[in-house]
């Protein structure tokens, strides 16, 4: 009987923790994707699964993007313009001896601090 009394509060705690989990975050970053290249802006584009994700989630459409991949990814990861995170010189090629400064605080680090 004593074990059941200990088990019930523990089960209750586990259920409350599971229910209190933050929602999933899916970031889709596509190079050279224009405003009219998605189905919710252009009926000629067929992408039902992505459209469903967009309809059920949050779509961010007011933003700045860079013309190259490395500055865009650096800005997404840090929340800072490429001129401020050192990635404004274009795409980083393989085996290049530089990249995002390791002292930069990134989105994954902040999500980890928020228990994601």
């Amino acid at each position: 009987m004593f074990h059941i009394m200990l088990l019930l509060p523990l089960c209750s705690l586990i259920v409350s923790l599971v229910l209190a989990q933050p929602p999933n975050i899916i970031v889709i970053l596509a190079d050279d994707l224009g405003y009219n290249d998605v189905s919710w802006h252009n009926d000629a584009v067929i992408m039902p699964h992505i459209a469903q994700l967009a309809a059920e989630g949050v779509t961010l459409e007011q933003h700045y993007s860079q013309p190259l991949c490395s500055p865009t990814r650096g800005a997404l990861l840090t929340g800072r313009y490429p001129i401020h995170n050192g990635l404004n010189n274009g795409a980083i090629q393989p085996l290049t001896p530089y990249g995002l400064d390791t002292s930069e605080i990134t989105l994954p680090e902040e999500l980890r601090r928020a228990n994601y």
Side-chain angles (χ1 to χ4, degrees):
M1 181 70 171
F2 179 71
H3 295 291
I4 293 174
M5 291 175 67
L6 286 176
L7 188 58
L8 287 175
L10 182 60
C11 289
S12 176
L13 176 65
I14 291 171
V15 167
S16 66
L17 289 175
V18 168
L19 294 176
Q21 287 183 344
N24 292 326
I25 298 174
I26 299 172
V27 176
I28 299 174
L29 177 64
D31 291 330
D32 300 323
L33 182 72
Y35 178 85
N36 228 15
D37 295 337
V38 290
S39 60
W40 53 93
H41 293 297
N42 183 350
D43 293 334
V45 176
I46 301 170
M47 49 188 339
H49 301 294
I50 301 293
Q52 181 181 359
L53 284 172
E56 294 175 0
V58 176
T59 313
L60 304 176
E61 297 186 313
Q62 300 286 326
H63 63 281
Y64 293 101
S65 63
Q66 308 302 314
L68 296 169
C69 56
S70 297
T72 298
R73 285 163 175 73
L76 174 68
L77 285 172
T78 63
R80 301 176 68 204
Y81 287 113
I83 191 75
H84 298 294
N85 65 27
L87 296 178
N88 59 312
N89 293 327
I92 298 174
Q93 300 301 317
L95 304 178
T96 302
Y98 72 91
L100 187 63
D101 190 331
T102 57
S103 67
E104 290 282 354
I105 297 171
T106 63
L107 180 61
E109 291 169 329
E110 289 300 312
L111 288 173
R112 185 179 313 123
R113 285 185 47 211
N115 294 321
Y116 268 89

